[in-house]
């Protein structure tokens, strides 16, 4: 099932797409697509779509 949600991650600057994707993978998420939608200090809100594995 494809799931879309907003998640918050903490990343130190300098920021890059590779750092964001690495942090998502650490949380067990392999994104189909993502976008930064908000930034507050080192907290990034990410709009994310990924495939949730059925249990």
């Amino acid at each position: 099932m494809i799931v879309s949600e907003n998640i918050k991650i903490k990343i130190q600057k300098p920021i890059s797409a590779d750092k964001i994707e690495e942090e998502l993978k650490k949380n067990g998420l392999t994104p189909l697509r993502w976008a930064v939608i908000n930034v507050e200090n080192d907290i990034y809100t990410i709009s994310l779509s990924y495939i949730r594995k059925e249990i």
Side-chain angles (χ1 to χ4, degrees), residues 38-53:
N38 191 33
V39 179
E40 291 183 30
N41 300 318
D42 290 338
I43 306 295
Y44 289 75
T45 303
I46 308 292
S47 174
L48 171 71
S49 291
Y50 62 96
I51 296 176
R52 178 183 295 165
K53 296 179 182 172

Side-chain angles (χ1 to χ4, degrees), residues 2-54:
I2 296 176
V3 177
S4 294
E5 62 184 335
N6 295 338
I7 65 166
K8 292 186 179 191
I9 58 176
K10 183 173 183 173
I11 300 179
Q12 298 292 323
K13 294 178 182 172
I15 194 71
S16 69
D18 289 337
K19 285 176 106 174
I20 291 172
E21 289 182 5
E22 181 180 317
E23 190 65 28
L24 292 172
K25 287 180 183 175
K26 282 182 189 176
N27 290 306
L29 302 169
T30 303
L32 297 172
R33 66 127 194 106
W34 61 267
V36 175
I37 59 172
N38 191 33
V39 179
E40 291 183 30
N41 300 318
D42 290 338
I43 306 295
Y44 289 75
T45 303
I46 308 292
S47 174
L48 171 71
S49 291
Y50 62 96
I51 296 176
R52 178 183 295 165
K53 296 179 182 172
E54 298 294 324

